[in-house]
Amino acid sequence: MAITGSGISLDRLSPTPIFQQIKSILEGAIASGELAAHQRIPSERELSAALGVSRMTLRQALLELMSDGILYSRSGKGTYVAERKIEQPLQRLSSFTQDIASRGMRPASQVLAQELLSAPLELAGALQIPPGSEIVRIRRLRLADEQPLALETSHLPHSLCPGVLNCDLTRTSLYEVLRTEYGVVLGSAKQTIEASQPVAEERLLLRLPEGVPVLRIHRLTSTVDGRLVEFVRSVYRGDRYQLHVELR
Amino acid sequence: MAITGSGISLDRLSPTPIFQQIKSILEGAIASGELAAHQRIPSERELSAALGVSRMTLRQALLELMSDGILYSRSGKGTYVAERKIEQPLQRLSSFTQDIASRGMRPASQVLAQELLSAPLELAGALQIPPGSEIVRIRRLRLADEQPLALETSHLPHSLCPGVLNCDLTRTSLYEVLRTEYGVVLGSAKQTIEASQPVAEERLLLRLPEGVPVLRIHRLTSTVDGRLVEFVRSVYRGDRYQLHVELR
DNA sequence: CCAGGCGACTGGTCTAGGCCAGTATGTGCC
DNA sequence: GGCACATACTGGCCTAGACCAGTCGCCTGG
């Protein structure tokens, strides 16, 4: 198989951990269809030897992919690619990048704005910071398989992520940067969801045909220890996106 | 602290893995309040020494507790107990009646159809019953404060609720009837949500102004013991209804 | 021909170390 | 007093082994 055979290799000097790199490689292979559902992947010993890492390190990557529902394993038999479950996401708090990847598409972004501004009253209230504090505003057109899918505007307190203005968020998940660069681990979020008509600018950017409505989603995200991290306004194309929720 | 100090010990002969036992001990200590929110727990090296396990094993327990949102860690500082998830039913499975009442409005219904039909293939598949089985179909216009808000079409296996055809569902919640008359206790549901344009009939019944989109929600509900109970198609007015969701 | 057993695999768990980058705290110099 | 530096912690990541219990195929004895 390609992963063991090809020249894919790890960057041991990179600041991103080895097991993260392995996760990305496997996720890519699954998203691209190189690894199909229920297909067996090479054994842990085989893979770790091929990649030149210890089995424990390889295993850390596999375990996370399993807990994400992307792989499953049978003791004594092997590790397999899970069925692509459309139903899966969104009991969990996932980034656009994860969400789209788990639907078997390639996520990407086009950064429209990445700037500092002074928090207006309503934003400061939502994020519980003093009005006028520095806020990072990141506006991205979100693509799935190169097609515009959503328009997303994130607001974060600048104190939480100084220097994020210089990050290239075209290919990288903002949540990934928050976690690896700033140690910000997201815990929970509150969302409100509504159907609405797009405004002219949204219709233009999303290349929306006449009459197609959008899903407008507001999200307030906090860390595991209760600090408010970001307020996001998203606008999803109604004809290409479905939200999945599990209730209890 | 109690965990390092007390006589709590691990059963190395037990078939349950050591790291599982450690998880249980910590979960117990947190549940009992012995460890409070934001309290620092002993360092990994300390804990592993106290329990007589290797640091990697202890770490496996901690990592799982972190991914469950029960602990969080700060690199270089320590590991802490996460904020208690107070909102226990964070994704409460609620009926339209409950939902609207909790928003401070008066719920009501207008029954458009309440009939028996033979399960078409797709419906039988969704509910996992033999095609052609008897299905109860209940179609209701849902009102909030006497204004049309949603159009809801429920499908239930007739075997589950014989006689439900004779119930007056104008003022009563269907879920209430299921629970009190048939002992059917709902456990979980999967929903898909999308924005779309209403069709002519929907526009008419919901008295929708031109150009207002709708929120289309499909819900598959099952009991606590895993039996599939109902498949519902709902259409909510986009200009009057917002969905609230919490993620973790 | 079949049954049973052996051996070669699998993932699951565990050990005992190692190095790194963050984070405090004290200490001594300016 | 205040600043730089050393030190001793922390969690994060990685290694190179080990043993166990499943799983499956092959081979041998009946």
Side-chain angles (χ1 to χ4, degrees):
Chain A
M1 86 170 254
I3 287 186
T4 61
S6 74
I8 292 176
S9 63
L10 305 168
D11 181 2
R12 310 203 71 108
L13 300 178
S14 158
T16 68
I18 303 284
F19 78 93
Q20 281 292 351
Q21 296 183 41
I22 298 176
K23 269 185 78 174
S24 302
I25 292 174
L26 286 169
E27 277 172 340
I30 292 169
S32 75
E34 193 179 327
L35 291 171
H38 301 293
Q39 184 179 334
R40 187 171 168 280
I41 70 171
S43 78
E44 297 179 352
R45 288 164 179 85
E46 224 172 301
L47 266 183
S48 58
L51 292 168
V53 301
S54 87
R55 192 177 152 218
M56 287 299 292
T57 304
L58 188 267
R59 230 177 118 66
Q60 191 178 350
L62 296 189
L63 283 175
E64 293 206 0
L65 289 172
M66 283 183 227
S67 84
D68 291 351
I70 295 175
L71 296 177
Y72 65 93
S73 62
R74 293 269 166 275
S75 186
K77 294 194 70 180
T79 305
Y80 302 82
V81 177
E83 190 99 42
R84 200 169 75 206
K85 289 186 220 164
I86 288 296
E87 311 275 352
Q88 180 204 332
L90 212 73
Q91 180 74 352
R92 294 179 62 94
L93 172 57
S94 62
S95 68
F96 179 88
T97 309
Q98 289 175 326
D99 182 17
I100 295 308
S102 77
R103 290 167 193 242
M105 295 187 280
R106 289 186 309 283
S109 297
Q110 191 176 316
V111 178
L112 304 177
Q114 194 164 355
E115 61 196 3
L116 216 54
L117 51 89
S118 161
L121 211 60
E122 70 193 61
L123 254 179
L127 289 170
Q128 290 177 20
I129 53 175
S133 320
E134 285 186 324
I135 289 267
V136 178
R137 177 171 172 274
I138 300 171
R139 188 152 207 242
R140 288 178 289 179
L141 185 65
R142 302 298 224 144
L143 314 173
D145 284 348
E146 329 302 335
Q147 297 295 315
L149 180 61
L151 192 63
E152 196 181 87
T153 313
S154 307
H155 305 84
L156 302 92
H158 187 225
S159 57
L160 206 76
C161 50
V164 79
L165 284 179
N166 303 319
C167 281
D168 175 24
L169 294 169
T170 306
R171 289 271 157 201
T172 321
S173 161
L174 172 61
Y175 288 4
E176 188 70 19
V177 173
L178 284 177
R179 197 171 55 78
T180 57
E181 302 294 319
Y182 302 101
V184 173
V185 182
L186 302 180
S188 62
K190 289 185 186 185
Q191 288 195 164
T192 71
I193 301 152
E194 60 187 330
S196 111
Q197 216 57 267
V199 302
E201 185 201 20
E202 292 162 352
R203 197 153 44 216
L204 195 70
L205 286 166
L206 292 171
R207 294 199 214 122
L208 270 174
E210 193 64 31
V212 172
V214 293
L215 220 44
R216 217 172 276 281
I217 301 178
H218 290 194
R219 176 192 280 195
L220 188 62
T221 314
S222 36
T223 60
V224 281
D225 53 325
R227 291 175 298 160
L228 292 169
V229 178
E230 62 156 9
F231 178 72
V232 188
R233 276 190 263 260
S234 303
V235 181
Y236 283 82
R237 282 184 69 138
D239 57 346
R240 290 208 186 135
Y241 189 77
Q242 270 189 347
L243 208 57
H244 301 273
V245 181
E246 274 197 45
L247 308 175
R248 251 163 246 297
Chain B
M1 82 168 262
I3 287 186
T4 61
S6 74
I8 293 176
S9 63
L10 305 167
D11 180 1
R12 309 203 72 109
L13 300 177
S14 157
T16 68
I18 304 284
F19 77 92
Q20 282 292 352
Q21 295 183 40
I22 298 176
K23 269 185 77 172
S24 301
I25 292 173
L26 286 169
E27 278 171 339
I30 292 168
S32 75
E34 194 178 328
L35 292 171
H38 302 291
Q39 183 179 333
R40 186 169 170 281
I41 69 171
S43 78
E44 297 181 351
R45 288 164 178 86
E46 220 171 305
L47 264 183
S48 58
L51 293 168
V53 300
S54 88
R55 192 176 150 218
M56 287 302 291
T57 304
L58 188 266
R59 228 176 121 65
Q60 190 177 351
L62 296 189
L63 284 175
E64 294 206 359
L65 288 172
M66 283 183 227
S67 84
D68 291 352
I70 296 175
L71 296 178
Y72 65 92
S73 62
R74 291 266 164 275
S75 187
K77 294 193 69 180
T79 305
Y80 302 82
V81 178
E83 192 102 40
R84 242 249 291 249
K85 333 176 184 180
I86 308 161
E87 318 165 39
Q88 196 54 20
L90 86 125
Q91 208 75 304
R92 186 169 105 253
L93 173 56
S94 61
S95 67
F96 179 89
T97 308
Q98 289 175 324
D99 181 19
I100 295 308
S102 77
R103 291 167 193 244
M105 294 187 282
R106 288 187 312 282
S109 298
Q110 190 177 317
V111 178
L112 305 176
Q114 194 165 353
E115 61 197 1
L116 217 53
L117 52 87
S118 161
L121 211 60
E122 72 194 58
L123 214 56
L127 289 170
Q128 289 177 20
I129 54 173
S133 319
E134 286 185 324
I135 289 267
V136 177
R137 177 170 172 273
I138 300 170
R139 190 153 206 240
R140 287 177 291 180
L141 184 66
R142 302 298 225 147
L143 314 172
D145 284 350
E146 327 304 334
Q147 298 294 316
L149 179 61
L151 193 61
E152 195 181 86
T153 312
S154 307
H155 305 84
L156 302 93
H158 188 223
S159 59
L160 205 76
C161 49
V164 80
L165 285 178
N166 304 318
C167 282
D168 174 23
L169 294 170
T170 306
R171 290 273 155 200
T172 321
S173 160
L174 172 60
Y175 287 3
E176 190 68 21
V177 172
L178 283 177
R179 194 169 56 78
T180 57
E181 301 295 318
Y182 302 99
V184 173
V185 182
L186 302 180
S188 64
K190 288 181 183 184
Q191 288 196 165
T192 73
I193 301 153
E194 60 187 331
S196 111
Q197 215 57 267
V199 300
E201 186 202 19
E202 292 162 353
R203 197 152 43 216
L204 196 71
L205 286 167
L206 292 171
R207 294 196 214 125
L208 270 174
E210 193 65 31
V212 173
V214 295
L215 218 47
R216 217 171 274 281
I217 301 177
H218 290 193
R219 175 191 283 193
L220 188 62
T221 314
S222 35
T223 60
V224 279
D225 53 327
R227 289 175 300 160
L228 292 169
V229 177
E230 62 155 8
F231 178 73
V232 187
R233 277 190 264 261
S234 303
V235 182
Y236 283 83
R237 284 184 67 138
D239 57 346
R240 291 208 186 137
Y241 189 75
Q242 269 189 348
L243 208 55
H244 298 272
V245 179
E246 275 198 42
L247 309 176
R248 207 164 286 286

